[in-house]
Amino acid sequence: MSTPSAALHGRTTSPTCCVCGTQMAFQFEAQFIRQHTGALHLCPNCEFICVSRVTWLDEAYSNAIAVTDTGNASRNWATAEALHLFACFAGLRGKRGLDLGGGHGLLVRLLRDFGLDFRWSDPHAENIFARGCEDDGGQYDWLAMIEVFEHLDNPRAFLENAISRYSPRSIVFTTLTRPALIPDKGWWYWSFETGQHISFVTQKTLQTLAARLGFELVSHGTFHLLTRRRRQGTAFRIATSRARRILGPILRFRAPSLTMDDHRRLKKPIGK
């Protein structure tokens, strides 16, 4: 358990903002996983909030998917619908994609079932649903980061590394922007009980980050797009709107799936 002196030290040594480089200011302390004290700091420039001196991540990720994440299955389905529609409208239907922080692979499996050539990557989780479809180390036209941003201790460094490594032109991610500059401690997205959420943003944070990365930002609800192709903004807004519930099934019906292609490909080594 964290000691009072450790908590006090975290309070008096606020970190530099990883998004914009401004000195951050201490806001309050909280108990993570009910036994670890963490200090939350606010950037006065870009409004990013981070948790400093995080020491409990091994415990937090003893299970990659938190027990409280009851929306996991429905979120993956809704996200797969949105990403498929976006791919169709943005000229990405035949392009390679990578799901960073892909969990147990459910989203990748759904996207491949919808006909998108997506791959999986996640150092904290076992690939269960998308085995044989792991990151092959090549380049990707676009990346997805679904409910990953808030888990990162340095989102800018993570994205810079991904951009350098994979050379994407578009990055789709989800995260919930804060409803106030400093939400009260009852805000559900703090997720103090799981200890997995350590980065929190506003729209200003995301706009600052996009500018630093050299991308344009398009946001619609919890969906966000970093792109170097301005025309993709309209496609993204349509894909993340309610229209996807009508257009999605029509486009999926007309598109070939990779389900049986993957089945035949993965069956060959077994039959040898």
Side-chain angles (χ1 to χ4, degrees):
M1 182 178 295
S2 302
T3 65
S5 59
L8 179 61
H9 184 62
R11 218 185 303 178
T12 57
T13 56
S14 291
T16 300
C17 177
C18 66
V19 174
C20 70
T22 303
Q23 189 70 27
M24 303 183 81
F26 170 79
Q27 298 301 308
F28 63 90
E29 290 176 350
Q31 292 294 307
F32 292 81
I33 324 181
R34 298 185 179 181
Q35 58 180 331
H36 302 283
T37 301
L40 285 87
H41 306 264
L42 170 70
C43 175
N45 180 49
C46 73
E47 301 179 351
F48 178 61
I49 285 181
C50 74
V51 181
S52 67
R53 303 190 180 279
V54 178
T55 60
W56 56 83
L57 291 186
D58 286 345
E59 182 179 350
Y61 288 101
S62 57
N63 288 304
I65 307 301
V67 67
T68 55
D69 190 4
T70 52
N72 185 274
S74 60
R75 182 176 65 247
N76 275 283
W77 178 264
T79 301
E81 286 187 316
L83 292 181
H84 178 256
L85 205 57
F86 174 61
C88 292
F89 290 157
L92 294 169
R93 186 70 178 77
K95 306 295 186 180
R96 281 163 45 91
L98 178 67
D99 185 15
L100 292 173
H104 294 314
L106 180 56
L107 178 60
V108 170
R109 185 64 266 162
L110 287 169
L111 291 173
R112 295 186 70 85
D113 291 346
F114 292 172
L116 299 184
D117 184 9
F118 247 76
R119 298 274 174 165
W120 170 96
S121 176
D122 194 326
H124 298 292
E126 178 187 2
N127 181 8
I128 297 174
F129 297 104
R131 286 178 292 177
C133 303
E134 292 82 7
D135 174 18
D136 59 14
Q139 293 188 336
Y140 295 89
D141 296 278
W142 59 311
L143 306 177
M145 294 169 43
I146 307 306
E147 292 300 297
V148 171
F149 197 102
E150 58 279 0
H151 297 259
L152 303 173
D153 64 342
N154 190 329
R156 179 176 171 181
F158 182 91
L159 283 164
E160 287 175 338
N161 179 67
I163 292 165
S164 174
R165 181 175 178 182
Y166 300 115
S167 303
R169 300 294 299 275
S170 308
I171 303 171
V172 177
F173 67 98
T174 62
T175 195
L176 183 64
T177 54
R178 303 197 306 273
L181 187 62
I182 309 292
D184 64 52
K185 290 187 177 182
W187 184 42
W188 71 275
Y189 209 64
W190 291 128
S191 193
F192 296 136
E193 67 281 358
T194 72
Q196 291 189 356
H197 289 190
I198 55 177
S199 289
F200 308 92
V201 301
T202 63
Q203 199 62 30
K204 184 177 181 180
T205 310
L206 298 180
Q207 290 168 345
T208 303
L209 179 61
R212 298 297 174 106
L213 295 173
F215 281 73
E216 291 192 21
L217 174 71
V218 181
S219 296
H220 189 204
T222 60
F223 284 92
H224 311 279
L225 169 68
L226 295 171
T227 182
R228 287 180 171 149
R229 297 171 177 168
R230 180 170 297 181
R231 58 183 179 147
Q232 289 186 345
T234 300
F236 185 74
R237 292 185 184 93
I238 295 173
T240 54
S241 71
R242 293 182 180 179
R244 72 174 184 267
R245 299 174 184 174
I246 299 173
L247 297 174
I250 297 172
L251 291 174
R252 289 200 303 275
F253 178 77
R254 297 176 60 185
S257 171
L258 294 177
T259 306
M260 290 309 299
D261 287 349
D262 285 344
H263 172 77
R264 286 187 287 267
R265 174 174 57 84
L266 296 170
K267 182 179 178 180
K268 287 180 181 179
I270 300 174
K272 290 182 178 179

PDB file of all heavy atoms in Angstrom, residues 28-44:
ATOM      1  N   PHE A  28      -6.092  16.195  -7.033  1.00  0.00           N
ATOM      2  CA  PHE A  28      -6.559  15.430  -5.883  1.00  0.00           C
ATOM      3  C   PHE A  28      -5.944  14.039  -5.904  1.00  0.00           C
ATOM      4  O   PHE A  28      -5.317  13.633  -6.879  1.00  0.00           O
ATOM      5  CB  PHE A  28      -8.091  15.328  -5.846  1.00  0.00           C
ATOM      6  CG  PHE A  28      -8.709  14.590  -7.006  1.00  0.00           C
ATOM      7  CD1 PHE A  28      -8.922  13.214  -6.955  1.00  0.00           C
ATOM      8  CD2 PHE A  28      -9.111  15.262  -8.154  1.00  0.00           C
ATOM      9  CE1 PHE A  28      -9.507  12.524  -8.015  1.00  0.00           C
ATOM     10  CE2 PHE A  28      -9.701  14.597  -9.217  1.00  0.00           C
ATOM     11  CZ  PHE A  28      -9.894  13.226  -9.147  1.00  0.00           C
ATOM     12  N   GLU A  29      -6.101  13.331  -4.803  1.00  0.00           N
ATOM     13  CA  GLU A  29      -5.652  11.951  -4.701  1.00  0.00           C
ATOM     14  C   GLU A  29      -6.860  11.017  -4.720  1.00  0.00           C
ATOM     15  O   GLU A  29      -7.966  11.412  -4.366  1.00  0.00           O
ATOM     16  CB  GLU A  29      -4.865  11.730  -3.407  1.00  0.00           C
ATOM     17  CG  GLU A  29      -3.519  12.415  -3.384  1.00  0.00           C
ATOM     18  CD  GLU A  29      -2.822  12.255  -2.040  1.00  0.00           C
ATOM     19  OE1 GLU A  29      -3.490  11.781  -1.094  1.00  0.00           O
ATOM     20  OE2 GLU A  29      -1.634  12.595  -1.942  1.00  0.00           O
ATOM     21  N   ALA A  30      -6.619   9.783  -5.138  1.00  0.00           N
ATOM     22  CA  ALA A  30      -7.682   8.778  -5.159  1.00  0.00           C
ATOM     23  C   ALA A  30      -7.088   7.421  -4.836  1.00  0.00           C
ATOM     24  O   ALA A  30      -5.882   7.196  -4.992  1.00  0.00           O
ATOM     25  CB  ALA A  30      -8.358   8.748  -6.529  1.00  0.00           C
ATOM     26  N   GLN A  31      -7.943   6.532  -4.389  1.00  0.00           N
ATOM     27  CA  GLN A  31      -7.544   5.160  -4.106  1.00  0.00           C
ATOM     28  C   GLN A  31      -7.841   4.285  -5.319  1.00  0.00           C
ATOM     29  O   GLN A  31      -8.986   4.219  -5.776  1.00  0.00           O
ATOM     30  CB  GLN A  31      -8.284   4.619  -2.882  1.00  0.00           C
ATOM     31  CG  GLN A  31      -7.888   5.284  -1.578  1.00  0.00           C
ATOM     32  CD  GLN A  31      -6.443   4.972  -1.204  1.00  0.00           C
ATOM     33  OE1 GLN A  31      -6.042   3.806  -1.148  1.00  0.00           O
ATOM     34  NE2 GLN A  31      -5.667   6.013  -0.950  1.00  0.00           N
ATOM     35  N   PHE A  32      -6.823   3.635  -5.837  1.00  0.00           N
ATOM     36  CA  PHE A  32      -6.956   2.759  -6.997  1.00  0.00           C
ATOM     37  C   PHE A  32      -6.916   1.305  -6.527  1.00  0.00           C
ATOM     38  O   PHE A  32      -6.071   0.924  -5.734  1.00  0.00           O
ATOM     39  CB  PHE A  32      -5.834   3.029  -7.997  1.00  0.00           C
ATOM     40  CG  PHE A  32      -5.939   4.371  -8.662  1.00  0.00           C
ATOM     41  CD1 PHE A  32      -5.490   5.520  -8.012  1.00  0.00           C
ATOM     42  CD2 PHE A  32      -6.506   4.501  -9.922  1.00  0.00           C
ATOM     43  CE1 PHE A  32      -5.596   6.759  -8.618  1.00  0.00           C
ATOM     44  CE2 PHE A  32      -6.611   5.738 -10.530  1.00  0.00           C
ATOM     45  CZ  PHE A  32      -6.158   6.873  -9.874  1.00  0.00           C
ATOM     46  N   ILE A  33      -7.843   0.504  -7.038  1.00  0.00           N
ATOM     47  CA  ILE A  33      -8.022  -0.891  -6.618  1.00  0.00           C
ATOM     48  C   ILE A  33      -8.129  -0.955  -5.092  1.00  0.00           C
ATOM     49  O   ILE A  33      -7.701  -1.916  -4.459  1.00  0.00           O
ATOM     50  CB  ILE A  33      -6.895  -1.816  -7.122  1.00  0.00           C
ATOM     51  CG1 ILE A  33      -6.426  -1.402  -8.518  1.00  0.00           C
ATOM     52  CG2 ILE A  33      -7.378  -3.271  -7.174  1.00  0.00           C
ATOM     53  CD1 ILE A  33      -5.334  -2.288  -9.098  1.00  0.00           C
ATOM     54  N   ARG A  34      -8.644   0.123  -4.499  1.00  0.00           N
ATOM     55  CA  ARG A  34      -8.951   0.221  -3.067  1.00  0.00           C
ATOM     56  C   ARG A  34      -7.737   0.186  -2.152  1.00  0.00           C
ATOM     57  O   ARG A  34      -7.904   0.174  -0.923  1.00  0.00           O
ATOM     58  CB  ARG A  34      -9.933  -0.894  -2.658  1.00  0.00           C
ATOM     59  CG  ARG A  34     -11.273  -0.820  -3.369  1.00  0.00           C
ATOM     60  CD  ARG A  34     -12.235  -1.855  -2.837  1.00  0.00           C
ATOM     61  NE  ARG A  34     -13.530  -1.759  -3.496  1.00  0.00           N
ATOM     62  CZ  ARG A  34     -14.572  -2.540  -3.211  1.00  0.00           C
ATOM     63  NH1 ARG A  34     -14.442  -3.480  -2.277  1.00  0.00           N
ATOM     64  NH2 ARG A  34     -15.702  -2.400  -3.858  1.00  0.00           N
ATOM     65  N   GLN A  35      -6.534   0.196  -2.695  1.00  0.00           N
ATOM     66  CA  GLN A  35      -5.380   0.109  -1.791  1.00  0.00           C
ATOM     67  C   GLN A  35      -4.156   0.896  -2.243  1.00  0.00           C
ATOM     68  O   GLN A  35      -3.187   1.018  -1.508  1.00  0.00           O
ATOM     69  CB  GLN A  35      -4.971  -1.351  -1.602  1.00  0.00           C
ATOM     70  CG  GLN A  35      -4.622  -2.084  -2.887  1.00  0.00           C
ATOM     71  CD  GLN A  35      -4.224  -3.521  -2.636  1.00  0.00           C
ATOM     72  OE1 GLN A  35      -3.704  -3.860  -1.574  1.00  0.00           O
ATOM     73  NE2 GLN A  35      -4.465  -4.394  -3.604  1.00  0.00           N
ATOM     74  N   HIS A  36      -4.184   1.467  -3.435  1.00  0.00           N
ATOM     75  CA  HIS A  36      -3.042   2.211  -3.938  1.00  0.00           C
ATOM     76  C   HIS A  36      -3.424   3.687  -4.098  1.00  0.00           C
ATOM     77  O   HIS A  36      -4.431   4.007  -4.723  1.00  0.00           O
ATOM     78  CB  HIS A  36      -2.583   1.667  -5.292  1.00  0.00           C
ATOM     79  CG  HIS A  36      -2.221   0.217  -5.271  1.00  0.00           C
ATOM     80  ND1 HIS A  36      -1.026  -0.249  -4.758  1.00  0.00           N
ATOM     81  CD2 HIS A  36      -2.907  -0.877  -5.694  1.00  0.00           C
ATOM     82  CE1 HIS A  36      -0.981  -1.562  -4.880  1.00  0.00           C
ATOM     83  NE2 HIS A  36      -2.111  -1.972  -5.436  1.00  0.00           N
ATOM     84  N   THR A  37      -2.611   4.566  -3.547  1.00  0.00           N
ATOM     85  CA  THR A  37      -2.882   5.993  -3.647  1.00  0.00           C
ATOM     86  C   THR A  37      -2.217   6.569  -4.879  1.00  0.00           C
ATOM     87  O   THR A  37      -1.012   6.393  -5.085  1.00  0.00           O
ATOM     88  CB  THR A  37      -2.363   6.738  -2.402  1.00  0.00           C
ATOM     89  OG1 THR A  37      -3.000   6.207  -1.240  1.00  0.00           O
ATOM     90  CG2 THR A  37      -2.663   8.232  -2.507  1.00  0.00           C
ATOM     91  N   GLY A  38      -3.001   7.240  -5.689  1.00  0.00           N
ATOM     92  CA  GLY A  38      -2.476   7.898  -6.882  1.00  0.00           C
ATOM     93  C   GLY A  38      -2.856   9.363  -6.882  1.00  0.00           C
ATOM     94  O   GLY A  38      -3.905   9.743  -6.356  1.00  0.00           O
ATOM     95  N   ALA A  39      -2.005  10.196  -7.457  1.00  0.00           N
ATOM     96  CA  ALA A  39      -2.263  11.627  -7.546  1.00  0.00           C
ATOM     97  C   ALA A  39      -2.648  11.995  -8.978  1.00  0.00           C
ATOM     98  O   ALA A  39      -2.005  11.557  -9.934  1.00  0.00           O
ATOM     99  CB  ALA A  39      -1.021  12.415  -7.125  1.00  0.00           C
ATOM    100  N   LEU A  40      -3.705  12.780  -9.116  1.00  0.00           N
ATOM    101  CA  LEU A  40      -4.168  13.215 -10.431  1.00  0.00           C
ATOM    102  C   LEU A  40      -3.761  14.657 -10.664  1.00  0.00           C
ATOM    103  O   LEU A  40      -3.925  15.518  -9.783  1.00  0.00           O
ATOM    104  CB  LEU A  40      -5.676  13.058 -10.555  1.00  0.00           C
ATOM    105  CG  LEU A  40      -6.145  11.602 -10.746  1.00  0.00           C
ATOM    106  CD1 LEU A  40      -6.334  10.910  -9.397  1.00  0.00           C
ATOM    107  CD2 LEU A  40      -7.434  11.528 -11.543  1.00  0.00           C
ATOM    108  N   HIS A  41      -3.221  14.928 -11.856  1.00  0.00           N
ATOM    109  CA  HIS A  41      -2.686  16.237 -12.194  1.00  0.00           C
ATOM    110  C   HIS A  41      -3.348  16.744 -13.477  1.00  0.00           C
ATOM    111  O   HIS A  41      -3.617  15.981 -14.402  1.00  0.00           O
ATOM    112  CB  HIS A  41      -1.177  16.158 -12.396  1.00  0.00           C
ATOM    113  CG  HIS A  41      -0.442  15.559 -11.239  1.00  0.00           C
ATOM    114  ND1 HIS A  41       0.152  16.320 -10.251  1.00  0.00           N
ATOM    115  CD2 HIS A  41      -0.207  14.264 -10.901  1.00  0.00           C
ATOM    116  CE1 HIS A  41       0.721  15.525  -9.361  1.00  0.00           C
ATOM    117  NE2 HIS A  41       0.517  14.279  -9.739  1.00  0.00           N
ATOM    118  N   LEU A  42      -3.571  18.048 -13.532  1.00  0.00           N
ATOM    119  CA  LEU A  42      -4.224  18.697 -14.668  1.00  0.00           C
ATOM    120  C   LEU A  42      -3.240  19.602 -15.403  1.00  0.00           C
ATOM    121  O   LEU A  42      -2.509  20.374 -14.775  1.00  0.00           O
ATOM    122  CB  LEU A  42      -5.408  19.525 -14.189  1.00  0.00           C
ATOM    123  CG  LEU A  42      -6.067  20.455 -15.219  1.00  0.00           C
ATOM    124  CD1 LEU A  42      -6.812  19.659 -16.274  1.00  0.00           C
ATOM    125  CD2 LEU A  42      -7.001  21.440 -14.520  1.00  0.00           C
ATOM    126  N   CYS A  43      -3.249  19.510 -16.726  1.00  0.00           N
ATOM    127  CA  CYS A  43      -2.467  20.439 -17.542  1.00  0.00           C
ATOM    128  C   CYS A  43      -3.296  21.707 -17.754  1.00  0.00           C
ATOM    129  O   CYS A  43      -4.395  21.631 -18.309  1.00  0.00           O
ATOM    130  CB  CYS A  43      -2.101  19.824 -18.883  1.00  0.00           C
ATOM    131  SG  CYS A  43      -1.259  20.987 -19.995  1.00  0.00           S
ATOM    132  N   PRO A  44      -2.798  22.886 -17.337  1.00  0.00           N
ATOM    133  CA  PRO A  44      -3.572  24.121 -17.510  1.00  0.00           C
ATOM    134  C   PRO A  44      -3.642  24.587 -18.960  1.00  0.00           C
ATOM    135  O   PRO A  44      -4.455  25.453 -19.291  1.00  0.00           O
ATOM    136  CB  PRO A  44      -2.796  25.132 -16.647  1.00  0.00           C
ATOM    137  CG  PRO A  44      -1.389  24.616 -16.648  1.00  0.00           C
ATOM    138  CD  PRO A  44      -1.509  23.113 -16.655  1.00  0.00           C
TER     139      PRO A  44
END
